[in-house]
Amino acid sequence: MNQANIEVKHLKTPKTGGKDAALFLFPLIFLSIFFYFPLVSILNEGLTNETGKLTLSHIIRVFSDPYSLRVILFTVEQALLSTAASVLLGLPGAYLLARHDFRGKSIIKAITTVPFVLPSIIVVLGFVIFFGNNGVLNRSLMAAFSLENAPLKILYSMKAIILAHTFYNFPICIRLVSAVWSRVNPNIEKAAQSLGAKGFRLFFRVLLPQIMPGILAAAALIFIFCFTSFAVILVLGGGPKYSTLEVAIYRFALCTYI
Amino acid sequence: MSEWGPAGKVIPKFEQKYGVKVQLLSAGDAGQVLNRAILEKKRPKADIVMGIDNNLLAKALDADVLEPYKSPNIYLIPDNLIFDKTYHVTPFDHGYFAIVYDSLRLKNPPRSMDDLLRPEYRDKIILEDPRTSSPGLGFLLWTIAVYREDRYLEFWEKLMPNILTITEGWDTAYGLFTSGEAPMVLSYTTSPAYHVKYENTTRYRAAIFREGNYRQIEGMGILKGAKNRAMAQKFLDFMVTEDFQGEIPLTNWMFPVNPRVKLPDSFKYAPEPDISLSLDTYQIQRNQERWIDGWLRVVTR
């Protein structure tokens, strides 16, 4: 056993020649110049005062400013809600794709990749065209019930943000969770059923622990996407009241540096 | 400023007249242009900076980035438009902020600032953020000019239910307005003229308010350390003549500062208010941050 381990290790670490080091150096230099250097210089600005001494005063100021705090809290809040809604909406889809064969399955699978390639500003425009006060939905309702004003106020609010994020991200949940779900052995559920587990108990005690890695991976990814969301917040959010960190930073940069 | 409206027409005229090449550098909207001039103070890339308005003047003067120049042609501009008596900035156009409304969807348009508070206007107004947009800042200053410092926040508090959304810039706000999201938007009194000229419709109108409309006068100035100072002066001289000013209405959608220019027909739909409001530029410079902080507290409540 020990012998085998040592051998494996030996195999994994061949002598590093100069060529390999050079290969490693290339991406490292690239990353340093184009990523770490700008990142460190902006962090440096946040952590030093005018004379170049290290200070926490900027950070303390941000965290004691009610507006900044509000922005930070709102960012986390909307990201959590959007993630929860996306996962809940994605799970049934994941189940269908993992456990059932039907016509058009491959098309649906292909559609779930759309959020990865669709620019978010397109989603925003689509929302205005469909859910807007003068959008398809409101106009048909106004025509159907001969109303004067748009009956559904959906955009420019917290619900618009959650709705757009959910629409944008639930396919990610479908995709990641169905991949894990399809590898779950159905015989385990059958065994549990034969021992008397059913309904919620079967789902929460037997199935959920097995698909949990997929759910967590999807939730983490969706949370990050929503946390740094930009166009959706900018247009559908409805102004300063619903600003996220990303938007607040953009606004500040726009006024100060550009 | 490669996409600046009148450029395509007036720059070639100037180039031909003096046999020089004019290069336009773009830096975004007026506030961003001034910020860039301040950042490049020691070694300016440009000779002239365009777009410094009556709200930004104090900031430009305090930053000391401009060289004064009194053009011999300044007599062409009426005195009340010369907003910088130290001649660091020479005006080139002016206009008035206004609530522009869709007359097909709004039968009972507002006639005063107070009217904007009517309950029937719930969710019907689109505004711009004063931190990122110059019409947005103009409207905030307008409310201060009307209600004074002690009552403007009270007005904003009551206005909140009627605001559909506050956008970062004018483009988004106006786009949402023309796509029918709301029947009122903060823009300029000249906006309806654009629809008359290019869409042949008078459906969009600008509301003139009883208290007056807030005025914006835009100017340009010669930068300190400009490499081509003599030519820059010639450009300012040329700028106030009819050759240049005549192109302002239909390309920049503002009023020319030279009253000899005959306005195009479409400008019949660009009303000029009887009362024009503005605040003292130094008062703005001193208080702007505090005013915006107060505003922010109200709109995020």
Side-chain angles (χ1 to χ4, degrees):
Chain A
M1 196 62 183
N2 265 342
Q3 199 85 21
N5 259 341
I6 290 163
E7 268 191 28
V8 168
K9 268 189 181 165
H10 185 74
L11 276 176
K12 269 185 176 168
T13 50
K15 281 170 211 156
T16 38
K19 218 163 74 181
D20 294 326
L23 270 177
F24 180 66
L25 222 60
F26 178 68
L28 192 72
I29 290 173
F30 186 84
L31 265 179
S32 321
I33 295 175
F34 292 103
F35 185 68
Y36 292 118
F37 179 69
L39 196 69
V40 166
S41 56
I42 198 102
L43 280 177
N44 183 46
E45 208 159 291
L47 291 172
T48 53
N49 60 15
E50 293 78 19
T51 53
K53 285 219 179 80
L54 207 64
T55 172
L56 287 176
S57 66
H58 299 303
I59 293 178
I60 292 167
R61 213 176 67 209
V62 166
F63 281 99
S64 55
D65 171 38
Y67 179 69
S68 308
L69 272 183
R70 196 200 149 90
V71 167
I72 293 168
L73 282 179
F74 177 76
T75 309
V76 175
E77 183 193 353
Q78 61 83 17
L80 281 176
L81 284 173
S82 305
T83 307
S86 306
V87 168
L88 285 179
L89 201 67
L91 281 181
Y95 165 74
L96 274 180
L97 282 190
R99 283 293 164 83
H100 292 274
D101 268 317
F102 49 89
R103 215 189 290 174
K105 183 171 167 177
S106 56
I107 295 174
I108 291 189
K109 255 187 149 161
I111 289 174
T112 58
T113 58
V114 162
F116 291 99
V117 293
L118 195 69
S120 52
I121 194 72
I122 301 293
V123 176
V124 169
L125 281 177
F127 262 66
V128 173
I129 290 169
F130 192 78
F131 292 110
N133 288 345
N134 197 29
V136 175
L137 193 60
N138 268 321
R139 268 209 313 255
S140 5
L141 284 173
M142 280 156 78
F145 300 101
S146 54
L147 299 167
E148 279 256 327
N149 287 316
L152 296 174
K153 306 254 189 244
I154 296 168
L155 300 188
Y156 322 110
S157 65
M158 180 81 161
K159 14 178 216 298
I161 294 174
I162 308 289
L163 203 64
H165 282 164
T166 306
F167 165 79
Y168 205 38
N169 291 317
F170 86 90
I172 295 175
C173 173
I174 294 187
R175 208 168 168 80
L176 292 182
V177 176
S178 73
V180 176
W181 207 324
S182 60
R183 284 200 300 274
V184 169
N185 185 352
N187 289 333
I188 296 176
E189 280 159 73
K190 285 185 187 136
Q193 267 171 320
S194 78
L195 293 171
K198 52 182 180 266
F200 281 111
R201 191 177 152 94
L202 182 66
F203 178 78
F204 282 106
R205 300 292 292 273
V206 180
L207 191 62
L208 196 62
Q210 298 187 77
I211 58 168
M212 209 44 165
I215 294 180
L216 288 179
L221 198 61
I222 294 171
F223 183 84
I224 290 169
F225 281 159
C226 296
F227 193 84
T228 57
S229 168
F230 188 69
V232 168
I233 310 279
L234 208 57
V235 182
L236 297 183
K241 194 168 178 183
Y242 301 114
S243 279
T244 56
L245 266 179
E246 197 90 347
V247 170
I249 291 169
Y250 160 77
R251 196 179 284 130
F252 179 77
L254 198 69
C255 305
T256 322
Y257 295 107
I258 302 170
Chain B
M1 300 194 80
S2 53
E3 281 159 55
W4 188 58
K9 302 233 165 135
V10 299
I11 299 294
K13 282 187 198 170
F14 182 76
E15 287 177 335
Q16 215 169 22
K17 203 167 169 187
Y18 291 98
V20 289
K21 189 99 193 81
V22 177
Q23 205 190 343
L24 294 157
L25 307 167
S26 172
D29 83 1
Q32 294 161 15
V33 169
L34 180 57
N35 278 337
R36 175 137 164 213
I38 293 171
L39 285 174
E40 294 177 354
K41 189 175 170 182
K42 290 211 180 86
R43 215 168 298 156
K45 285 206 182 77
D47 299 311
I48 291 176
V49 57
M50 259 179 215
I52 295 174
D53 67 10
N54 47 326
N55 300 329
L56 282 172
L57 177 66
K59 187 176 175 185
L61 294 181
D62 279 359
D64 196 26
V65 289
L66 299 173
E67 195 79 60
Y69 172 63
K70 186 174 179 183
S71 166
N73 290 345
I74 198 91
Y75 71 91
L76 291 169
I77 308 175
D79 204 47
N80 67 352
L81 282 172
I82 301 175
F83 64 105
D84 175 21
K85 304 290 182 205
T86 64
Y87 301 101
H88 287 80
V89 177
T90 308
F92 68 85
D93 69 11
H94 72 116
Y96 304 88
F97 297 113
I99 293 293
V100 171
Y101 63 95
D102 178 353
S103 61
L104 291 186
R105 298 182 54 212
L106 196 73
K107 299 291 171 224
N108 192 10
R111 309 220 171 279
S112 70
M113 202 59 119
D114 273 331
D115 280 357
L116 291 180
L117 301 178
R118 285 191 203 145
E120 61 186 275
Y121 294 158
R122 199 184 162 86
D123 284 333
K124 286 198 158 70
I125 305 169
I126 301 174
L127 296 177
E128 295 91 336
D129 193 321
R131 293 170 297 172
T132 45
S133 138
S134 74
L137 180 61
F139 186 72
L140 177 66
L141 298 175
W142 189 0
T143 62
I144 294 167
V146 171
Y147 297 105
R148 302 289 154 201
E149 255 192 87
D150 46 328
R151 282 182 49 232
Y152 83 101
L153 288 177
E154 197 185 309
F155 170 81
W156 274 92
E157 223 163 279
K158 290 187 204 146
L159 184 64
M160 281 310 285
N162 290 354
I163 301 174
L164 179 69
T165 184
I166 301 173
T167 67
E168 304 293 315
W170 175 88
D171 318 37
T172 313
Y174 210 77
L176 289 174
F177 167 69
T178 49
S179 65
E181 285 302 293
M184 281 181 270
V185 68
L186 174 72
S187 189
Y188 293 86
T189 62
T190 43
S191 302
Y194 177 89
H195 297 283
V196 171
K197 169 89 182 165
Y198 288 110
E199 290 157 11
N200 202 19
T201 172
T202 58
R203 106 180 238 194
Y204 301 107
R205 311 270 172 83
I208 296 300
F209 280 0
R210 250 195 317 273
E211 302 95 340
N213 289 51
Y214 198 85
R215 181 181 234 176
Q216 182 184 32
I217 309 173
E218 294 186 294
M220 53 179 88
I222 299 173
L223 284 164
K224 272 204 169 142
K227 286 183 203 76
N228 309 299
R229 190 173 156 80
M231 208 33 83
Q233 294 182 346
K234 290 260 187 304
F235 190 82
L236 258 60
D237 299 344
F238 169 67
M239 182 269 290
V240 291
T241 64
E242 281 134 280
D243 251 3
F244 186 113
Q245 289 286 311
E247 304 293 347
I248 295 272
L250 291 184
T251 52
N252 216 31
W253 298 97
M254 293 285 269
F255 293 102
V257 289
N258 185 332
R260 295 185 199 189
V261 170
K262 191 178 167 298
L263 290 174
D265 285 344
S266 54
F267 266 59
K268 282 196 194 102
Y269 293 90
E272 280 200 77
D274 297 326
I275 306 172
S276 84
L277 299 172
S278 59
L279 293 173
D280 174 67
T281 182
Y282 283 98
Q283 195 195 351
I284 297 171
Q285 164 85 339
R286 271 196 313 274
N287 299 305
Q288 185 167 323
E289 223 178 288
R290 197 165 47 81
W291 287 341
I292 288 182
D293 282 348
W295 170 85
L296 199 57
R297 262 200 321 279
V298 170
V299 296
T300 54
R301 200 172 283 162

